[in-house]
């Protein structure tokens, strides 16, 4: 089955710097890759996603890149702000005729230092 | 944040006791999911349901049971067979079981063992 690894597990950056989180997946059939942000004590919320037919997607300060050949995708946050501090989860969805089963990475705790 | 709710926010279980976590959604979503979240780990799928009166085991279904008698409700029972139930439980829903549909999460229930 699909296996998703995520690095780093913790990341501290100074406010205004960029942050990059990388995920690798094992199933070449996976074709949808969402990123979720979970603030302390709150529910995960989708912040950006990418499908396998594109290599990059951007939404203001957040971007995601996908390398299907290498089977990895990355989240890029530019001009980080204290409110970006949270745990970020990546996920991959393997092709499944019986419905979707997200496989999540273990998460990255991002701390933005003022 | 509305649309999908979970109760209670905190739940305490005594040894040998079954407890039931509630998940309700008014989004008219067909698919619903239960995840378990442990510190330092990603979200792991317990059970999912693509439609009323249907549900499938996820990766860690042992010691859990579910029902889907109504479209808007997907309760999870943590049975006495689950030997390590302490965790944060998240319910999610999506419009349908088609791949790549966004999942929306509830606020979560934290289960603690007395």
């Amino acid at each position: 089955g699909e296996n998703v690894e995520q690095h780093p597990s913790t990341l501290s950056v100074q406010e205004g710097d960029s942050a990059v989180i990388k995920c690798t997946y094992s199933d070449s059939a996976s074709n949808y890759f969402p990123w979720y942000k979970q603030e302390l004590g709150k529910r995960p919320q989708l912040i950006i996603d990418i499908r396998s037919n594109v290599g990059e997607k951007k939404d203001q300060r957040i971007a995601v890149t996908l390398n299907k050949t290498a089977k990895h995708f990355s989240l890029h946050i530019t001009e980080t702000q204290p409110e970006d501090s949270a745990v970020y989860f990546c996920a991959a969805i393997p092709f499944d005729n019986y419905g979707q089963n997200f496989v999540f990475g273990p998460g990255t705790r991002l701390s933005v230092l003022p | 944040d509305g649309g999908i709710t979970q109760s209670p926010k905190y739940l305490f279980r005594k040894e040998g006791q079954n407890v039931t976590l509630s998940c309700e959604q008014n989004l008219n979503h067909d698919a619903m999911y239960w995840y378990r979240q442990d510190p330092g780990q990603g979200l792991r799928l317990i059970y999912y349901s693509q439609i009323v009166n249907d549900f499938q085991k996820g990766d860690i279904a042992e010691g859990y049971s579910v029902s889907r008698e109504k479209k808007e409700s997907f309760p999870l029972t943590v049975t006495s067979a689950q030997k390590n139930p302490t965790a944060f439980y998240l319910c999610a829903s999506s419009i349908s079981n088609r791949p790549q549909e966004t999942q929306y999460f509830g606020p979560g229930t934290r289960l603690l063992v007395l």
Side-chain angles (χ1 to χ4, degrees), chain A residues 48-61:
Chain A
I48 197 166
D49 57 14
I50 192 166
R51 287 165 168 72
S52 60
N53 57 343
V54 299
E56 183 175 357
K57 183 177 179 180
K58 192 172 182 180
D59 182 3
Q60 299 183 338
R61 296 187 297 108

Side-chain angles (χ1 to χ4, degrees), chain B residues 8-26:
Chain B
K9 188 173 182 179
Y10 295 96
L11 184 58
F12 298 92
R13 193 191 91 163
K14 295 180 181 178
E15 193 172 336
Q17 185 181 37
N18 292 353
V19 292
T20 297
L21 286 61
S22 169
C23 178
E24 304 277 332
Q25 53 96 3
N26 62 2

Side-chain angles (χ1 to χ4, degrees), chain B residues 14-88:
Chain B
K14 295 180 181 178
E15 193 172 336
Q17 185 181 37
N18 292 353
V19 292
T20 297
L21 286 61
S22 169
C23 178
E24 304 277 332
Q25 53 96 3
N26 62 2
L27 302 168
N28 201 31
H29 286 176
D30 280 325
M32 297 185 75
Y33 313 82
W34 274 106
Y35 293 93
R36 171 179 171 141
Q37 186 175 30
D38 293 283
Q41 296 191 40
L43 305 174
R44 293 185 291 168
L45 183 65
I46 305 172
Y47 268 98
Y48 66 101
S49 168
Q50 300 173 68
I51 200 167
V52 175
N53 293 322
D54 172 79
F55 49 83
Q56 306 291 333
K57 291 182 179 180
D59 300 321
I60 55 166
E62 186 174 351
Y64 300 98
S65 66
V66 293
S67 63
R68 188 83 187 279
E69 297 176 1
K70 298 186 295 182
K71 188 176 185 178
E72 57 270 23
S73 179
F74 190 41
L76 173 74
T77 296
V78 184
T79 74
S80 57
Q82 172 50 244
K83 299 306 179 186
N84 185 25
T86 297
F88 189 53

Side-chain angles (χ1 to χ4, degrees), chain A residues 73-100:
Chain A
F73 57 107
S74 298
L75 177 71
H76 304 255
I77 306 175
T78 59
E79 300 173 23
T80 53
Q81 301 168 3
E83 52 265 38
D84 294 330
S85 295
V87 177
Y88 292 82
F89 293 97
C90 62
I93 299 182
F95 183 75
D96 183 353
N97 281 328
Y98 299 100
Q100 55 177 334

Side-chain angles (χ1 to χ4, degrees), chain A residues 25 28-33 49-57 64-69 73, chain B residues 100:
Chain A
Y25 61 98
S28 57
S30 289
N31 52 14
Y32 174 62
F33 309 93
D49 57 14
I50 192 166
R51 287 165 168 72
S52 60
N53 57 343
V54 299
E56 183 175 357
K57 183 177 179 180
V64 57
T65 58
L66 171 65
N67 183 328
K68 283 212 72 178
T69 303
F73 57 107
Chain B
Q100 306 176 12

